[in-house]
Amino acid sequence: MQKCWTDSAWQDYLRLRTENPVYFNELNLIIEYIEYQGTENAEPFGNLKHYFSVKVDEENCLVFKFDSKADEMIIQAVKNHIEG
């Protein structure tokens, strides 16, 4: 499965590698898990149709959707975005 990133998600992802390596590693584990398990442990994300979120820590979550026709995981956000 190919991963596609929004520009802001990709920039945050690259920045996290140096700013918060523990979170960066946890995020990578979650992305890998989702690639193989799908949305099993994910929750629908707000009003964005077909988007899901997975909590990474108390303040941050991964927001994504699948495009099964293109065999892609589209990553919308990799930090913040916890709904209250």
Side-chain angles (χ1 to χ4, degrees), residues 24-71:
F24 180 80
N25 289 334
E26 183 68 22
L27 181 63
N28 283 323
L29 290 172
I30 290 171
I31 290 171
E32 184 178 323
Y33 178 83
I34 290 168
E35 284 185 275
Y36 296 103
Q37 299 298 320
T39 59
E40 181 179 306
N41 292 322
E43 298 180 7
F45 184 73
N47 294 329
L48 292 176
K49 191 172 185 178
H50 304 294
Y51 278 87
F52 296 90
S53 68
V54 174
K55 197 171 183 179
V56 180
D57 63 20
E58 291 301 316
E59 299 173 355
N60 299 288
C61 71
L62 169 69
V63 178
F64 66 96
K65 75 175 183 175
F66 288 115
D67 181 341
S68 57
K69 291 180 185 176
D71 194 31

Side-chain angles (χ1 to χ4, degrees), residues 66-80:
F66 288 115
D67 181 341
S68 57
K69 291 180 185 176
D71 194 31
E72 294 177 337
M73 177 182 183
I74 302 165
I75 300 172
Q76 180 71 30
V78 297
K79 66 178 199 172
N80 304 326

